Amino acid sequence: MSKKEIRELTKAELEVMQILWDKGEAFVSELLEAMPEPRPAYNTVSTIVRILEKKGVVGYTPVGKSHRYRPLVAKEAYTRSFMNSVMSNFFDNSLSQMVSFFCEKEDLSVRETERILAIAREAIEKKKGIGR
């Protein structure tokens, strides 16, 4: 699956994927146990997993009459795809516009702003090092 083919997940799908990313693999019953209260019905979680399977982000290994599910898409790959979509849809594919939005619109602490600057400086130094 290419990076651009990863479709955005619903909140419920993302909740299941977060558990799978953390655990590596799980049966539906284990997914259910890892969910916060109030937990959905077993059949609901089973349906969500089957939808994720159809979307191509979850695979399974048969174990008796059951299935052990595993993510087929890494969390980082999904995150990158999702953030690229946000940047494309809301910020004209401009990372600087997106960062500017959060810096201007959010109540960032001085510490958080300094951390953003430090990350940017590190990226600049890496790029300068590559160019030598």
Side-chain angles (χ1 to χ4, degrees):
M1 173 179 292
S2 76
K3 292 175 191 171
K4 293 183 180 183
E5 291 177 7
I6 301 173
R7 295 191 337 211
E8 187 174 336
L9 303 177
T10 66
K11 184 178 178 182
E13 292 166 349
L14 194 52
E15 183 177 9
V16 169
M17 286 303 294
Q18 292 284 6
I19 296 166
L20 285 173
W21 285 323
D22 288 344
K23 290 184 169 289
E25 61 182 19
F27 292 101
V28 171
S29 59
E30 294 170 326
L31 293 169
L32 195 56
E33 287 173 16
M35 292 179 159
E37 294 286 348
R39 292 184 177 110
Y42 180 96
N43 287 343
T44 301
V45 177
S46 181
T47 298
I48 292 168
V49 172
R50 284 194 309 273
I51 290 167
L52 289 167
E53 184 186 349
K54 287 179 184 173
K55 286 185 172 185
V57 296
V58 166
Y60 68 87
T61 302
V63 179
K65 293 182 178 182
S66 190
H67 296 94
R68 185 186 317 258
Y69 295 95
R70 67 186 179 289
L72 296 178
V73 173
K75 185 176 185 176
E76 183 178 325
Y78 178 76
T79 302
R80 184 178 310 278
S81 175
F82 179 79
M83 293 309 295
N84 283 340
S85 175
V86 168
M87 200 165 55
S88 171
N89 290 327
F90 298 100
F91 301 103
D92 296 326
N93 279 324
S94 169
L95 181 58
S96 61
Q97 281 185 27
M98 187 167 78
V99 172
S100 174
F101 172 82
F102 286 107
C103 289
E104 292 173 7
K105 304 299 182 202
E106 297 298 316
D107 188 21
L108 292 179
S109 67
V110 170
R111 175 179 274 185
E112 192 73 14
T113 304
E114 288 172 343
R115 181 66 186 130
I116 291 168
L117 285 171
I119 292 167
R121 285 186 189 110
E122 288 173 25
I124 290 168
E125 290 305 314
K126 283 182 185 176
K127 289 195 183 287
K128 283 182 179 178
I130 292 171
R132 291 182 186 163

